[in-house]
Amino acid sequence: MAAEPSPGTTARVPVWDAAVRLFHWTLVVLMAFSWWSGERHDMAWHRLSGYAILALVVFRLYWGVAGGRTARFAQFVKGPRTGIAYARGLIAGRDEAPPGHNPIGGWSVIVMLAALVAMALAGLFAVDVDGLESGPLADYVSFEQGRLAASAHELIFNLLLALVALHVIAILFHLIRLRHDLIGPMIHGRSPAGTRHPAEPLGASPLRALAGIVAAALFAWWAAQGFRL
């Protein structure tokens, strides 16, 4: 049984497991670093950052099946009717979503993960204009196809920046319009308890997380070798 909160304190319930929070903030850092290294044309660091992002995405896909309750795709990917009903509630100033990703935020996660996968794949096949710098899978395609992959890589990164901007706008909307802090729980993992926020364990297994981290790192390393042994 959970301990009763002391007078003057607000009860909090777990919302995000440590693996989800680590994924989120590491991705923020790596996206910024990838932009910085790309702008400086420091391709050695840019490639390493890309491999790290690839490992992160592979882990998040795995964790969407094997992770804690709020991390699982089955928990937050809802149908169109649920999303429309939630959007109507937001317009009316209500936030009726359970702990975790709301129905709209859940689909934004799927879109962002898909964009990250596409960006990473394009980077693996990309070739620069001089043919001096290339991804580890560039040997499998022609020079023209590699250049097309490079253009797609840049285009998708710009798309991701737009998605990040929408994400920030949504966070500000929840904070200002609904008085709902989304940043704090992504740092410490907990949110204020309420009638819609039961104190249920997240069920995130450290052993499953470790297995996923190792598998994702090995996959990214294999991709860096051009999927050659």
Side-chain angles (χ1 to χ4, degrees):
M1 181 179 294
E4 292 294 328
S6 59
T9 63
T10 301
R12 293 182 176 273
V13 297
V15 176
W16 301 116
D17 59 58
V20 167
R21 287 178 278 140
L22 184 61
F23 164 83
H24 182 277
W25 296 115
T26 304
L27 181 60
V28 170
V29 172
L30 287 174
M31 285 288 289
F33 185 78
S34 289
W35 171 84
W36 176 82
S37 57
E39 288 295 305
R40 289 173 55 88
H41 301 287
D42 190 338
M43 300 313 296
W45 282 110
H46 189 74
R47 279 194 296 269
L48 287 175
S49 181
Y51 298 145
I53 289 175
L54 177 61
L56 275 181
V57 173
V58 170
F59 172 79
R60 186 62 184 91
L61 293 174
Y62 160 82
W63 203 239
V65 177
R69 174 169 48 84
T70 56
R72 299 192 177 206
F73 300 131
Q75 193 271 345
F76 62 79
V77 178
K78 305 297 182 182
R81 290 184 179 180
T82 303
I84 293 171
Y86 177 74
R88 288 174 176 170
L90 287 183
I91 294 172
R94 303 189 308 271
D95 184 1
E96 300 175 344
H101 292 298
N102 62 56
I104 296 176
W107 278 106
S108 72
V109 170
I110 298 301
V111 171
M112 187 166 289
L113 286 174
L116 286 166
V117 169
M119 182 184 71
L121 286 176
L124 293 175
F125 288 98
V127 179
D128 74 352
V129 68
D130 298 317
L132 300 177
E133 297 284 354
S134 60
L137 302 184
D139 291 344
Y140 294 104
V141 298
S142 66
F143 176 78
E144 289 75 16
Q145 291 170 329
R147 290 299 301 143
L148 183 62
S151 298
H153 183 70
E154 183 177 359
L155 177 64
I156 296 169
F157 182 81
N158 290 330
L159 172 62
L160 277 166
L161 292 181
L163 292 174
V164 169
L166 289 175
H167 185 63
V168 172
I169 290 171
I171 290 172
L172 292 175
F173 174 82
H174 277 77
L175 183 63
I176 297 171
R177 179 73 171 87
L178 306 175
R179 305 296 180 185
H180 183 190
D181 176 24
L182 299 179
I183 299 176
M186 192 55 74
I187 295 174
H188 48 65
R190 306 179 75 82
S191 71
T195 57
R196 295 181 295 103
H197 296 252
E200 299 177 5
L202 296 178
S205 166
L207 288 179
R208 287 201 303 268
L210 179 60
I213 290 170
V214 172
L218 287 174
F219 180 86
W221 173 84
W222 190 27
Q225 309 307 309
F227 294 120
R228 300 179 180 88
L229 295 178

PDB file of all heavy atoms in Angstrom, residues 17-41:
ATOM      1  N   ASP A  17       8.699   5.712 -16.893  1.00  0.00           N
ATOM      2  CA  ASP A  17       9.809   4.933 -16.350  1.00  0.00           C
ATOM      3  C   ASP A  17      11.133   5.578 -16.747  1.00  0.00           C
ATOM      4  O   ASP A  17      11.189   6.459 -17.615  1.00  0.00           O
ATOM      5  CB  ASP A  17       9.737   3.467 -16.793  1.00  0.00           C
ATOM      6  CG  ASP A  17       9.770   3.289 -18.303  1.00  0.00           C
ATOM      7  OD1 ASP A  17      10.752   3.753 -18.927  1.00  0.00           O
ATOM      8  OD2 ASP A  17       8.836   2.690 -18.867  1.00  0.00           O
ATOM      9  N   ALA A  18      12.197   5.146 -16.107  1.00  0.00           N
ATOM     10  CA  ALA A  18      13.510   5.763 -16.324  1.00  0.00           C
ATOM     11  C   ALA A  18      13.985   5.615 -17.764  1.00  0.00           C
ATOM     12  O   ALA A  18      14.623   6.517 -18.310  1.00  0.00           O
ATOM     13  CB  ALA A  18      14.535   5.145 -15.364  1.00  0.00           C
ATOM     14  N   ALA A  19      13.663   4.495 -18.399  1.00  0.00           N
ATOM     15  CA  ALA A  19      14.123   4.268 -19.773  1.00  0.00           C
ATOM     16  C   ALA A  19      13.484   5.264 -20.738  1.00  0.00           C
ATOM     17  O   ALA A  19      14.149   5.779 -21.641  1.00  0.00           O
ATOM     18  CB  ALA A  19      13.803   2.837 -20.208  1.00  0.00           C
ATOM     19  N   VAL A  20      12.201   5.550 -20.564  1.00  0.00           N
ATOM     20  CA  VAL A  20      11.527   6.527 -21.436  1.00  0.00           C
ATOM     21  C   VAL A  20      12.131   7.907 -21.245  1.00  0.00           C
ATOM     22  O   VAL A  20      12.392   8.632 -22.213  1.00  0.00           O
ATOM     23  CB  VAL A  20      10.017   6.559 -21.131  1.00  0.00           C
ATOM     24  CG1 VAL A  20       9.356   7.765 -21.791  1.00  0.00           C
ATOM     25  CG2 VAL A  20       9.350   5.281 -21.616  1.00  0.00           C
ATOM     26  N   ARG A  21      12.378   8.279 -19.990  1.00  0.00           N
ATOM     27  CA  ARG A  21      12.948   9.605 -19.724  1.00  0.00           C
ATOM     28  C   ARG A  21      14.367   9.720 -20.281  1.00  0.00           C
ATOM     29  O   ARG A  21      14.739  10.747 -20.865  1.00  0.00           O
ATOM     30  CB  ARG A  21      12.935   9.873 -18.218  1.00  0.00           C
ATOM     31  CG  ARG A  21      11.535  10.148 -17.681  1.00  0.00           C
ATOM     32  CD  ARG A  21      11.541  10.356 -16.179  1.00  0.00           C
ATOM     33  NE  ARG A  21      11.550   9.090 -15.467  1.00  0.00           N
ATOM     34  CZ  ARG A  21      12.253   8.833 -14.378  1.00  0.00           C
ATOM     35  NH1 ARG A  21      13.085   9.754 -13.883  1.00  0.00           N
ATOM     36  NH2 ARG A  21      12.170   7.669 -13.779  1.00  0.00           N
ATOM     37  N   LEU A  22      15.154   8.669 -20.114  1.00  0.00           N
ATOM     38  CA  LEU A  22      16.522   8.687 -20.641  1.00  0.00           C
ATOM     39  C   LEU A  22      16.506   8.767 -22.164  1.00  0.00           C
ATOM     40  O   LEU A  22      17.293   9.510 -22.766  1.00  0.00           O
ATOM     41  CB  LEU A  22      17.270   7.440 -20.185  1.00  0.00           C
ATOM     42  CG  LEU A  22      18.746   7.356 -20.578  1.00  0.00           C
ATOM     43  CD1 LEU A  22      19.533   8.511 -19.972  1.00  0.00           C
ATOM     44  CD2 LEU A  22      19.340   6.022 -20.133  1.00  0.00           C
ATOM     45  N   PHE A  23      15.608   8.015 -22.797  1.00  0.00           N
ATOM     46  CA  PHE A  23      15.474   8.086 -24.257  1.00  0.00           C
ATOM     47  C   PHE A  23      15.133   9.506 -24.696  1.00  0.00           C
ATOM     48  O   PHE A  23      15.745  10.045 -25.624  1.00  0.00           O
ATOM     49  CB  PHE A  23      14.376   7.123 -24.715  1.00  0.00           C
ATOM     50  CG  PHE A  23      13.894   7.388 -26.120  1.00  0.00           C
ATOM     51  CD1 PHE A  23      14.582   6.891 -27.213  1.00  0.00           C
ATOM     52  CD2 PHE A  23      12.748   8.157 -26.343  1.00  0.00           C
ATOM     53  CE1 PHE A  23      14.144   7.153 -28.510  1.00  0.00           C
ATOM     54  CE2 PHE A  23      12.305   8.423 -27.627  1.00  0.00           C
ATOM     55  CZ  PHE A  23      13.006   7.919 -28.712  1.00  0.00           C
ATOM     56  N   HIS A  24      14.164  10.115 -24.042  1.00  0.00           N
ATOM     57  CA  HIS A  24      13.686  11.438 -24.432  1.00  0.00           C
ATOM     58  C   HIS A  24      14.806  12.477 -24.399  1.00  0.00           C
ATOM     59  O   HIS A  24      15.065  13.183 -25.387  1.00  0.00           O
ATOM     60  CB  HIS A  24      12.547  11.855 -23.512  1.00  0.00           C
ATOM     61  CG  HIS A  24      11.939  13.178 -23.842  1.00  0.00           C
ATOM     62  ND1 HIS A  24      12.480  14.367 -23.420  1.00  0.00           N
ATOM     63  CD2 HIS A  24      10.840  13.509 -24.544  1.00  0.00           C
ATOM     64  CE1 HIS A  24      11.750  15.365 -23.849  1.00  0.00           C
ATOM     65  NE2 HIS A  24      10.747  14.888 -24.540  1.00  0.00           N
ATOM     66  N   TRP A  25      15.499  12.586 -23.268  1.00  0.00           N
ATOM     67  CA  TRP A  25      16.498  13.643 -23.118  1.00  0.00           C
ATOM     68  C   TRP A  25      17.773  13.351 -23.895  1.00  0.00           C
ATOM     69  O   TRP A  25      18.443  14.271 -24.372  1.00  0.00           O
ATOM     70  CB  TRP A  25      16.778  13.886 -21.639  1.00  0.00           C
ATOM     71  CG  TRP A  25      15.566  14.401 -20.931  1.00  0.00           C
ATOM     72  CD1 TRP A  25      14.855  13.781 -19.947  1.00  0.00           C
ATOM     73  CD2 TRP A  25      14.904  15.653 -21.163  1.00  0.00           C
ATOM     74  NE1 TRP A  25      13.792  14.548 -19.555  1.00  0.00           N
ATOM     75  CE2 TRP A  25      13.787  15.702 -20.275  1.00  0.00           C
ATOM     76  CE3 TRP A  25      15.110  16.720 -22.033  1.00  0.00           C
ATOM     77  CZ2 TRP A  25      12.923  16.801 -20.243  1.00  0.00           C
ATOM     78  CZ3 TRP A  25      14.249  17.801 -22.004  1.00  0.00           C
ATOM     79  CH2 TRP A  25      13.170  17.833 -21.122  1.00  0.00           C
ATOM     80  N   THR A  26      18.120  12.071 -24.032  1.00  0.00           N
ATOM     81  CA  THR A  26      19.285  11.725 -24.856  1.00  0.00           C
ATOM     82  C   THR A  26      19.020  12.064 -26.317  1.00  0.00           C
ATOM     83  O   THR A  26      19.913  12.559 -27.024  1.00  0.00           O
ATOM     84  CB  THR A  26      19.628  10.235 -24.713  1.00  0.00           C
ATOM     85  OG1 THR A  26      19.829   9.916 -23.335  1.00  0.00           O
ATOM     86  CG2 THR A  26      20.897   9.896 -25.484  1.00  0.00           C
ATOM     87  N   LEU A  27      17.789  11.816 -26.770  1.00  0.00           N
ATOM     88  CA  LEU A  27      17.441  12.164 -28.141  1.00  0.00           C
ATOM     89  C   LEU A  27      17.512  13.670 -28.362  1.00  0.00           C
ATOM     90  O   LEU A  27      17.990  14.129 -29.406  1.00  0.00           O
ATOM     91  CB  LEU A  27      16.033  11.652 -28.460  1.00  0.00           C
ATOM     92  CG  LEU A  27      15.529  11.926 -29.878  1.00  0.00           C
ATOM     93  CD1 LEU A  27      16.439  11.263 -30.913  1.00  0.00           C
ATOM     94  CD2 LEU A  27      14.085  11.440 -30.034  1.00  0.00           C
ATOM     95  N   VAL A  28      17.066  14.454 -27.385  1.00  0.00           N
ATOM     96  CA  VAL A  28      17.151  15.916 -27.489  1.00  0.00           C
ATOM     97  C   VAL A  28      18.606  16.343 -27.691  1.00  0.00           C
ATOM     98  O   VAL A  28      18.928  17.154 -28.573  1.00  0.00           O
ATOM     99  CB  VAL A  28      16.556  16.591 -26.245  1.00  0.00           C
ATOM    100  CG1 VAL A  28      16.868  18.089 -26.230  1.00  0.00           C
ATOM    101  CG2 VAL A  28      15.040  16.372 -26.181  1.00  0.00           C
ATOM    102  N   VAL A  29      19.494  15.798 -26.862  1.00  0.00           N
ATOM    103  CA  VAL A  29      20.918  16.159 -26.938  1.00  0.00           C
ATOM    104  C   VAL A  29      21.517  15.728 -28.274  1.00  0.00           C
ATOM    105  O   VAL A  29      22.248  16.485 -28.934  1.00  0.00           O
ATOM    106  CB  VAL A  29      21.691  15.541 -25.765  1.00  0.00           C
ATOM    107  CG1 VAL A  29      23.196  15.743 -25.939  1.00  0.00           C
ATOM    108  CG2 VAL A  29      21.229  16.153 -24.436  1.00  0.00           C
ATOM    109  N   LEU A  30      21.213  14.501 -28.697  1.00  0.00           N
ATOM    110  CA  LEU A  30      21.801  13.979 -29.928  1.00  0.00           C
ATOM    111  C   LEU A  30      21.284  14.712 -31.165  1.00  0.00           C
ATOM    112  O   LEU A  30      22.031  14.924 -32.128  1.00  0.00           O
ATOM    113  CB  LEU A  30      21.527  12.481 -30.054  1.00  0.00           C
ATOM    114  CG  LEU A  30      22.336  11.584 -29.119  1.00  0.00           C
ATOM    115  CD1 LEU A  30      21.872  10.140 -29.239  1.00  0.00           C
ATOM    116  CD2 LEU A  30      23.828  11.686 -29.423  1.00  0.00           C
ATOM    117  N   MET A  31      20.011  15.103 -31.161  1.00  0.00           N
ATOM    118  CA  MET A  31      19.484  15.864 -32.295  1.00  0.00           C
ATOM    119  C   MET A  31      20.212  17.205 -32.414  1.00  0.00           C
ATOM    120  O   MET A  31      20.586  17.629 -33.518  1.00  0.00           O
ATOM    121  CB  MET A  31      17.983  16.077 -32.121  1.00  0.00           C
ATOM    122  CG  MET A  31      17.143  14.845 -32.383  1.00  0.00           C
ATOM    123  SD  MET A  31      17.054  14.417 -34.134  1.00  0.00           S
ATOM    124  CE  MET A  31      16.016  15.755 -34.735  1.00  0.00           C
ATOM    125  N   ALA A  32      20.409  17.861 -31.269  1.00  0.00           N
ATOM    126  CA  ALA A  32      21.128  19.138 -31.289  1.00  0.00           C
ATOM    127  C   ALA A  32      22.570  18.932 -31.739  1.00  0.00           C
ATOM    128  O   ALA A  32      23.105  19.721 -32.532  1.00  0.00           O
ATOM    129  CB  ALA A  32      21.091  19.780 -29.897  1.00  0.00           C
ATOM    130  N   PHE A  33      23.201  17.861 -31.256  1.00  0.00           N
ATOM    131  CA  PHE A  33      24.590  17.599 -31.631  1.00  0.00           C
ATOM    132  C   PHE A  33      24.703  17.237 -33.109  1.00  0.00           C
ATOM    133  O   PHE A  33      25.670  17.641 -33.782  1.00  0.00           O
ATOM    134  CB  PHE A  33      25.158  16.474 -30.775  1.00  0.00           C
ATOM    135  CG  PHE A  33      26.617  16.211 -31.018  1.00  0.00           C
ATOM    136  CD1 PHE A  33      27.583  17.032 -30.467  1.00  0.00           C
ATOM    137  CD2 PHE A  33      27.014  15.149 -31.816  1.00  0.00           C
ATOM    138  CE1 PHE A  33      28.930  16.806 -30.704  1.00  0.00           C
ATOM    139  CE2 PHE A  33      28.353  14.909 -32.058  1.00  0.00           C
ATOM    140  CZ  PHE A  33      29.320  15.751 -31.498  1.00  0.00           C
ATOM    141  N   SER A  34      23.721  16.490 -33.620  1.00  0.00           N
ATOM    142  CA  SER A  34      23.747  16.134 -35.042  1.00  0.00           C
ATOM    143  C   SER A  34      23.637  17.382 -35.903  1.00  0.00           C
ATOM    144  O   SER A  34      24.331  17.507 -36.929  1.00  0.00           O
ATOM    145  CB  SER A  34      22.600  15.166 -35.362  1.00  0.00           C
ATOM    146  OG  SER A  34      22.838  13.903 -34.802  1.00  0.00           O
ATOM    147  N   TRP A  35      22.772  18.299 -35.517  1.00  0.00           N
ATOM    148  CA  TRP A  35      22.655  19.552 -36.264  1.00  0.00           C
ATOM    149  C   TRP A  35      23.974  20.317 -36.220  1.00  0.00           C
ATOM    150  O   TRP A  35      24.455  20.799 -37.243  1.00  0.00           O
ATOM    151  CB  TRP A  35      21.531  20.405 -35.673  1.00  0.00           C
ATOM    152  CG  TRP A  35      21.499  21.788 -36.251  1.00  0.00           C
ATOM    153  CD1 TRP A  35      20.890  22.173 -37.414  1.00  0.00           C
ATOM    154  CD2 TRP A  35      22.131  22.955 -35.720  1.00  0.00           C
ATOM    155  NE1 TRP A  35      21.096  23.512 -37.650  1.00  0.00           N
ATOM    156  CE2 TRP A  35      21.858  24.020 -36.621  1.00  0.00           C
ATOM    157  CE3 TRP A  35      22.882  23.211 -34.583  1.00  0.00           C
ATOM    158  CZ2 TRP A  35      22.325  25.315 -36.407  1.00  0.00           C
ATOM    159  CZ3 TRP A  35      23.351  24.503 -34.369  1.00  0.00           C
ATOM    160  CH2 TRP A  35      23.073  25.539 -35.273  1.00  0.00           C
ATOM    161  N   TRP A  36      24.563  20.416 -35.024  1.00  0.00           N
ATOM    162  CA  TRP A  36      25.813  21.165 -34.856  1.00  0.00           C
ATOM    163  C   TRP A  36      26.940  20.552 -35.683  1.00  0.00           C
ATOM    164  O   TRP A  36      27.663  21.260 -36.395  1.00  0.00           O
ATOM    165  CB  TRP A  36      26.181  21.201 -33.378  1.00  0.00           C
ATOM    166  CG  TRP A  36      27.498  21.870 -33.084  1.00  0.00           C
ATOM    167  CD1 TRP A  36      27.734  23.201 -32.964  1.00  0.00           C
ATOM    168  CD2 TRP A  36      28.756  21.216 -32.875  1.00  0.00           C
ATOM    169  NE1 TRP A  36      29.061  23.432 -32.686  1.00  0.00           N
ATOM    170  CE2 TRP A  36      29.716  22.229 -32.628  1.00  0.00           C
ATOM    171  CE3 TRP A  36      29.161  19.884 -32.863  1.00  0.00           C
ATOM    172  CZ2 TRP A  36      31.048  21.949 -32.378  1.00  0.00           C
ATOM    173  CZ3 TRP A  36      30.493  19.597 -32.616  1.00  0.00           C
ATOM    174  CH2 TRP A  36      31.424  20.630 -32.381  1.00  0.00           C
ATOM    175  N   SER A  37      27.101  19.249 -35.593  1.00  0.00           N
ATOM    176  CA  SER A  37      28.188  18.588 -36.323  1.00  0.00           C
ATOM    177  C   SER A  37      27.951  18.648 -37.825  1.00  0.00           C
ATOM    178  O   SER A  37      28.904  18.769 -38.613  1.00  0.00           O
ATOM    179  CB  SER A  37      28.338  17.135 -35.867  1.00  0.00           C
ATOM    180  OG  SER A  37      27.126  16.418 -36.039  1.00  0.00           O
ATOM    181  N   GLY A  38      26.674  18.579 -38.256  1.00  0.00           N
ATOM    182  CA  GLY A  38      26.387  18.696 -39.680  1.00  0.00           C
ATOM    183  C   GLY A  38      26.691  20.080 -40.209  1.00  0.00           C
ATOM    184  O   GLY A  38      27.235  20.232 -41.311  1.00  0.00           O
ATOM    185  N   GLU A  39      26.344  21.113 -39.422  1.00  0.00           N
ATOM    186  CA  GLU A  39      26.630  22.485 -39.836  1.00  0.00           C
ATOM    187  C   GLU A  39      28.130  22.744 -39.938  1.00  0.00           C
ATOM    188  O   GLU A  39      28.580  23.525 -40.779  1.00  0.00           O
ATOM    189  CB  GLU A  39      26.002  23.467 -38.840  1.00  0.00           C
ATOM    190  CG  GLU A  39      24.495  23.561 -38.920  1.00  0.00           C
ATOM    191  CD  GLU A  39      24.018  24.132 -40.240  1.00  0.00           C
ATOM    192  OE1 GLU A  39      24.463  25.246 -40.590  1.00  0.00           O
ATOM    193  OE2 GLU A  39      23.227  23.456 -40.928  1.00  0.00           O
ATOM    194  N   ARG A  40      28.912  22.086 -39.102  1.00  0.00           N
ATOM    195  CA  ARG A  40      30.368  22.242 -39.115  1.00  0.00           C
ATOM    196  C   ARG A  40      31.029  21.296 -40.124  1.00  0.00           C
ATOM    197  O   ARG A  40      32.245  21.314 -40.273  1.00  0.00           O
ATOM    198  CB  ARG A  40      30.933  21.970 -37.720  1.00  0.00           C
ATOM    199  CG  ARG A  40      30.612  23.055 -36.706  1.00  0.00           C
ATOM    200  CD  ARG A  40      31.064  22.628 -35.310  1.00  0.00           C
ATOM    201  NE  ARG A  40      32.472  22.268 -35.279  1.00  0.00           N
ATOM    202  CZ  ARG A  40      33.474  23.122 -35.061  1.00  0.00           C
ATOM    203  NH1 ARG A  40      33.199  24.411 -34.872  1.00  0.00           N
ATOM    204  NH2 ARG A  40      34.726  22.721 -35.031  1.00  0.00           N
ATOM    205  N   HIS A  41      30.231  20.457 -40.774  1.00  0.00           N
ATOM    206  CA  HIS A  41      30.736  19.465 -41.726  1.00  0.00           C
ATOM    207  C   HIS A  41      31.750  18.527 -41.070  1.00  0.00           C
ATOM    208  O   HIS A  41      32.691  18.058 -41.723  1.00  0.00           O
ATOM    209  CB  HIS A  41      31.356  20.152 -42.955  1.00  0.00           C
ATOM    210  CG  HIS A  41      30.396  21.041 -43.682  1.00  0.00           C
ATOM    211  ND1 HIS A  41      29.368  20.554 -44.455  1.00  0.00           N
ATOM    212  CD2 HIS A  41      30.298  22.402 -43.726  1.00  0.00           C
ATOM    213  CE1 HIS A  41      28.684  21.551 -44.962  1.00  0.00           C
ATOM    214  NE2 HIS A  41      29.222  22.695 -44.536  1.00  0.00           N
TER     215      HIS A  41
END
